[in-house]
Amino acid sequence: MATREPAASVRIQSVDRAVDLLLAVASAQPEATTAPALARACGLNRATAWRLLKTLQIRGLVSVDESTGRYSIGLTTMELGNAAGPDALIAAAHPVLERMCERTGETASLAVPGMGGLTYLDEVTPTAVLTASWLGRSVPLHATSTGKALLAFLPAPQVRRVLSGALTRFTDTTITDPDALAAELTATRQRGYGVCAGELESSLYGVSAPVLDRNRRPLAVLSIWGPRDRVPPERFAELGEVALRAAEGIGAARPAA
């Protein structure tokens, strides 16, 4: 019976290089998306990079601004991303949520950015604990550990837009002062995870860590939360470390270059 060849032995160099270029276009700053800059980033000579980029352009995977020579992601790539939807992320994260729940004995959740907040897509709850489900719910960014974990890793202009309006007070511990929230976001960035002490609902406490892409931009947020008597502030450091390591694991689980 024929044996299957190892994946590494059937890699096609031209496809590998094209994928490298596509990922470089997706992750580079605008000034670094010309063909010469992309060629340098991918370790290719200019002629090879140019031919591959033109092929990707013909197939709609990248587009080029003829006046600047800068490449950007094309409509076909966006269509592929839309086709995947949240299912791929949920499938990758669900086993991680299960391990987080088993290790901590608390609810573990996955949330993604949405219009004006975060929406919970998946959660795993301990069998012996009765808890409300947050699936499908959107939450404000300033009053949750998930929101603060997201805000802490967003570009400063985006954060300023969020902080420019009035911040709604939900409980006595909700942070509504922009300066105080900015300081909390700095602490969140330094720790790598956000914390919430009853700021949206007075009885719910939790910690959250962002899943970051290769440019350290947040793609999603993992959370561990529960009632105050089970998730007191004294557990934040322990639970925050679990959430942080889990988020780093998902962020690192991508194909090697």
Coordinates of all heavy atoms in Angstrom, one line a residue, residues 11-62:
R11 N 5.9 20.4 -0.6 CA 5.8 21.9 -0.8 C 6.3 22.3 -2.1 O 7.3 21.9 -2.6 CB 6.5 22.6 0.4 CG 5.9 22.4 1.7 CD 6.7 23.0 2.8 NE 6.6 24.4 2.8 CZ 7.0 25.2 3.8 NH1 7.4 24.6 4.9 NH2 7.0 26.5 3.7
I12 N 5.5 23.2 -2.8 CA 5.9 23.7 -4.1 C 6.4 25.1 -3.9 O 5.8 26.0 -3.3 CB 4.7 23.7 -5.0 CG1 4.1 22.3 -5.2 CG2 5.0 24.4 -6.4 CD1 2.8 22.2 -6.0
Q13 N 7.7 25.3 -4.3 CA 8.4 26.5 -4.0 C 7.6 27.8 -4.4 O 7.5 28.8 -3.7 CB 9.8 26.5 -4.6 CG 10.6 27.7 -4.1 CD 12.0 27.6 -4.7 OE1 12.2 27.7 -6.0 NE2 13.0 27.5 -3.9
S14 N 7.1 27.8 -5.7 CA 6.4 29.0 -6.2 C 5.2 29.3 -5.4 O 4.9 30.5 -5.1 CB 6.1 28.8 -7.7 OG 5.2 27.7 -7.8
V15 N 4.5 28.2 -4.9 CA 3.3 28.5 -4.1 C 3.7 29.0 -2.8 O 3.1 29.9 -2.2 CB 2.5 27.2 -4.0 CG1 1.3 27.4 -3.0 CG2 2.0 26.7 -5.3
D16 N 4.7 28.4 -2.2 CA 5.3 28.9 -0.9 C 5.6 30.4 -1.0 O 5.2 31.2 -0.1 CB 6.5 28.1 -0.6 CG 6.4 27.3 0.7 OD1 5.3 27.3 1.3 OD2 7.3 26.6 1.1
R17 N 6.3 30.8 -2.1 CA 6.7 32.2 -2.2 C 5.5 33.1 -2.4 O 5.4 34.2 -1.9 CB 7.6 32.3 -3.4 CG 9.0 31.7 -3.1 CD 9.9 31.7 -4.4 NE 11.2 31.3 -4.1 CZ 12.2 31.1 -5.0 NH1 11.9 31.3 -6.3 NH2 13.4 30.8 -4.7
A18 N 4.5 32.6 -3.2 CA 3.3 33.4 -3.4 C 2.6 33.7 -2.0 O 2.1 34.8 -1.8 CB 2.4 32.8 -4.4
V19 N 2.5 32.6 -1.2 CA 1.8 32.7 0.1 C 2.6 33.7 1.0 O 2.0 34.5 1.7 CB 1.6 31.4 0.7 CG1 1.2 31.5 2.2 CG2 0.7 30.5 -0.1
D20 N 3.9 33.6 0.9 CA 4.7 34.5 1.7 C 4.4 36.0 1.3 O 4.3 36.8 2.2 CB 6.2 34.2 1.5 CG 6.7 33.0 2.2 OD1 6.0 32.5 3.1 OD2 7.8 32.5 1.9
L21 N 4.4 36.2 0.0 CA 4.1 37.6 -0.4 C 2.7 38.0 0.0 O 2.5 39.2 0.4 CB 4.2 37.6 -2.0 CG 5.6 37.7 -2.5 CD1 5.6 37.5 -4.0 CD2 6.3 39.1 -2.2
L22 N 1.7 37.1 -0.1 CA 0.3 37.5 0.3 C 0.3 37.8 1.8 O -0.3 38.8 2.2 CB -0.6 36.3 0.0 CG -2.1 36.6 0.2 CD1 -2.6 37.7 -0.7 CD2 -2.9 35.3 -0.1
L23 N 1.0 37.0 2.6 CA 1.0 37.3 4.0 C 1.7 38.6 4.3 O 1.4 39.4 5.2 CB 1.7 36.2 4.8 CG 0.9 34.9 4.8 CD1 1.7 33.8 5.4 CD2 -0.4 35.0 5.5
A24 N 2.8 38.9 3.5 CA 3.5 40.2 3.7 C 2.7 41.4 3.3 O 2.7 42.4 4.0 CB 4.8 40.1 2.8
V25 N 1.9 41.3 2.3 CA 1.0 42.4 1.9 C 0.0 42.6 3.0 O -0.3 43.7 3.4 CB 0.3 42.0 0.6 CG1 -0.8 43.1 0.3 CG2 1.3 42.0 -0.6
A26 N -0.5 41.5 3.6 CA -1.5 41.6 4.6 C -1.0 42.3 5.9 O -1.7 43.0 6.6 CB -2.1 40.3 4.9
S27 N 0.3 42.0 6.2 CA 0.8 42.4 7.5 C 1.7 43.7 7.5 O 1.9 44.3 8.5 CB 1.6 41.3 8.1 OG 2.7 41.0 7.3
A28 N 2.1 44.1 6.3 CA 3.1 45.2 6.2 C 2.4 46.6 6.4 O 1.2 46.7 6.1 CB 3.8 45.2 4.9
Q29 N 3.1 47.6 6.9 CA 2.7 48.9 6.9 C 2.6 49.4 5.4 O 3.3 48.9 4.5 CB 3.6 49.8 7.7 CG 3.7 49.5 9.1 CD 2.4 49.7 9.9 OE1 1.7 50.6 9.6 NE2 2.0 48.7 10.7
P30 N 1.7 50.4 5.1 CA 1.5 50.8 3.7 C 2.8 51.2 3.0 O 2.9 50.9 1.8 CB 0.6 52.0 3.9 CG -0.2 51.8 5.1 CD 0.8 51.1 6.0
E31 N 3.7 51.9 3.7 CA 4.9 52.3 3.0 C 5.8 51.1 2.6 O 6.8 51.3 1.9 CB 5.7 53.3 3.9 CG 6.2 52.8 5.2 CD 5.2 52.9 6.3 OE1 4.0 53.2 6.0 OE2 5.5 52.7 7.5
A32 N 5.6 49.9 3.2 CA 6.4 48.7 2.9 C 5.7 47.7 2.0 O 6.0 46.6 2.0 CB 6.8 48.1 4.3
T33 N 4.7 48.2 1.2 CA 4.0 47.3 0.4 C 4.3 47.5 -1.1 O 3.5 47.0 -2.0 CB 2.5 47.4 0.6 OG1 2.1 48.8 0.4 CG2 2.1 46.9 2.0
T34 N 5.4 48.1 -1.5 CA 5.8 48.2 -2.9 C 6.5 46.8 -3.2 O 6.9 46.1 -2.3 CB 6.8 49.3 -3.1 OG1 8.0 49.1 -2.3 CG2 6.2 50.6 -2.8
A35 N 6.6 46.5 -4.5 CA 7.2 45.3 -4.9 C 8.6 45.1 -4.4 O 9.0 44.0 -3.8 CB 7.2 45.1 -6.4
P36 N 9.5 46.1 -4.4 CA 10.9 46.0 -3.9 C 10.9 45.7 -2.4 O 11.6 44.8 -1.9 CB 11.5 47.3 -4.2 CG 10.8 47.8 -5.4 CD 9.4 47.4 -5.2
A37 N 10.0 46.4 -1.7 CA 10.0 46.2 -0.2 C 9.5 44.8 0.2 O 10.0 44.2 1.0 CB 9.1 47.3 0.4
L38 N 8.5 44.4 -0.6 CA 7.9 43.0 -0.3 C 8.9 42.0 -0.7 O 9.0 40.9 0.0 CB 6.6 42.8 -1.1 CG 5.4 43.7 -0.6 CD1 4.3 43.7 -1.7 CD2 4.9 43.2 0.7
A39 N 9.7 42.2 -1.8 CA 10.7 41.2 -2.2 C 11.7 41.1 -1.1 O 12.2 40.0 -0.7 CB 11.3 41.7 -3.5
R40 N 12.2 42.2 -0.5 CA 13.2 42.2 0.6 C 12.6 41.5 1.8 O 13.3 40.7 2.4 CB 13.6 43.6 1.0 CG 14.5 44.3 -0.1 CD 15.1 45.6 0.5 NE 14.1 46.5 0.9 CZ 13.6 47.5 0.1 NH1 14.0 47.5 -1.2 NH2 12.7 48.3 0.5
A41 N 11.3 41.8 2.1 CA 10.7 41.1 3.3 C 10.6 39.6 3.2 O 10.7 38.9 4.2 CB 9.4 41.7 3.6
C42 N 10.5 39.1 1.9 CA 10.3 37.7 1.7 C 11.6 37.0 1.2 O 11.6 35.8 0.9 CB 9.2 37.5 0.7 SG 7.6 38.0 1.3
G43 N 12.7 37.8 1.1 CA 13.9 37.2 0.7 C 13.9 36.7 -0.8 O 14.5 35.7 -1.1
L44 N 13.2 37.5 -1.6 CA 13.1 37.2 -3.0 C 13.8 38.2 -3.9 O 13.9 39.4 -3.5 CB 11.6 37.1 -3.5 CG 10.8 36.1 -2.7 CD1 9.3 36.2 -3.1 CD2 11.2 34.6 -3.0
N45 N 14.2 37.8 -5.1 CA 14.7 38.9 -6.0 C 13.5 39.6 -6.6 O 12.4 39.1 -6.6 CB 15.6 38.3 -7.1 CG 14.9 37.4 -8.0 OD1 13.9 37.8 -8.7 ND2 15.4 36.1 -8.2
R46 N 13.8 40.8 -7.0 CA 12.7 41.7 -7.5 C 11.8 41.1 -8.6 O 10.6 41.2 -8.7 CB 13.2 43.1 -7.9 CG 13.7 43.9 -6.7 CD 14.0 45.3 -7.1 NE 14.6 46.1 -6.0 CZ 14.8 47.4 -6.1 NH1 14.5 48.1 -7.2 NH2 15.3 48.0 -5.0
A47 N 12.5 40.5 -9.6 CA 11.8 39.9 -10.7 C 10.9 38.8 -10.3 O 9.7 38.8 -10.8 CB 12.9 39.4 -11.8
T48 N 11.3 37.9 -9.4 CA 10.5 36.9 -9.0 C 9.3 37.4 -8.2 O 8.1 37.0 -8.4 CB 11.3 35.9 -8.1 OG1 12.3 35.3 -8.9 CG2 10.4 34.8 -7.5
A49 N 9.5 38.4 -7.3 CA 8.5 39.0 -6.5 C 7.4 39.7 -7.4 O 6.2 39.5 -7.3 CB 9.0 39.9 -5.5
W50 N 7.9 40.4 -8.4 CA 7.1 41.1 -9.4 C 6.1 40.1 -10.1 O 4.9 40.4 -10.2 CB 7.9 41.9 -10.3 CG 7.0 42.8 -11.2 CD1 6.6 44.1 -10.9 CD2 6.6 42.5 -12.5 NE1 5.8 44.5 -12.0 CE2 5.8 43.6 -13.0 CE3 6.8 41.4 -13.4 CZ2 5.2 43.6 -14.2 CZ3 6.2 41.4 -14.6 CH2 5.4 42.5 -15.0
R51 N 6.7 39.0 -10.6 CA 5.9 38.1 -11.4 C 4.8 37.4 -10.5 O 3.7 37.3 -10.9 CB 6.8 37.0 -12.0 CG 7.7 37.4 -13.1 CD 8.2 36.3 -13.9 NE 9.1 35.4 -13.1 CZ 10.4 35.6 -12.9 NH1 11.0 36.6 -13.5 NH2 11.1 34.8 -12.1
L52 N 5.2 37.1 -9.3 CA 4.3 36.5 -8.4 C 3.2 37.5 -8.0 O 2.0 37.1 -7.9 CB 5.0 35.9 -7.1 CG 5.9 34.7 -7.3 CD1 6.7 34.5 -6.1 CD2 5.0 33.5 -7.7
L53 N 3.5 38.7 -7.7 CA 2.5 39.7 -7.4 C 1.6 39.9 -8.5 O 0.4 40.1 -8.3 CB 3.2 41.0 -7.0 CG 3.9 41.0 -5.6 CD1 4.8 42.2 -5.4 CD2 2.8 41.0 -4.5
K54 N 2.1 40.0 -9.7 CA 1.2 40.2 -10.9 C 0.2 39.0 -11.0 O -0.9 39.2 -11.4 CB 2.0 40.3 -12.2 CG 2.7 41.7 -12.3 CD 1.7 42.8 -12.2 CE 2.4 44.2 -12.2 NZ 1.4 45.3 -12.1
T55 N 0.7 37.8 -10.8 CA -0.2 36.6 -10.8 C -1.3 36.7 -9.7 O -2.4 36.5 -10.0 CB 0.6 35.3 -10.6 OG1 1.6 35.2 -11.7 CG2 -0.3 34.1 -10.7
L56 N -0.9 37.1 -8.5 CA -1.8 37.3 -7.4 C -2.8 38.4 -7.8 O -4.0 38.3 -7.5 CB -1.1 37.6 -6.1 CG -0.2 36.5 -5.5 CD1 0.6 37.0 -4.4 CD2 -1.1 35.3 -5.1
Q57 N -2.3 39.4 -8.5 CA -3.2 40.5 -8.9 C -4.2 40.1 -9.9 O -5.4 40.4 -9.8 CB -2.4 41.7 -9.4 CG -3.2 42.9 -9.8 CD -2.3 44.0 -10.5 OE1 -1.1 43.9 -10.5 NE2 -3.0 45.0 -11.1
I58 N -3.8 39.3 -10.9 CA -4.7 38.8 -11.9 C -5.8 38.0 -11.3 O -7.0 38.0 -11.7 CB -3.9 38.0 -13.0 CG1 -3.0 38.9 -13.8 CG2 -4.9 37.2 -13.9 CD1 -2.0 38.2 -14.7
R59 N -5.5 37.2 -10.3 CA -6.5 36.3 -9.6 C -7.3 37.1 -8.5 O -8.1 36.5 -7.9 CB -5.8 35.1 -9.0 CG -5.1 34.2 -10.0 CD -6.0 33.8 -11.1 NE -7.2 33.1 -10.6 CZ -7.3 31.7 -10.5 NH1 -6.2 31.0 -10.8 NH2 -8.4 31.2 -10.0
G60 N -7.0 38.4 -8.4 CA -7.8 39.2 -7.4 C -7.4 39.0 -6.0 O -8.1 39.5 -5.1
L61 N -6.2 38.4 -5.7 CA -5.8 38.2 -4.3 C -5.1 39.4 -3.8 O -5.1 39.6 -2.6 CB -4.9 37.0 -4.2 CG -5.6 35.6 -4.5 CD1 -4.6 34.5 -4.7 CD2 -6.5 35.3 -3.3
V62 N -4.5 40.2 -4.7 CA -4.0 41.5 -4.3 C -4.4 42.6 -5.3 O -4.8 42.2 -6.4 CB -2.4 41.5 -4.1 CG1 -1.9 40.5 -3.1 CG2 -1.7 41.3 -5.5

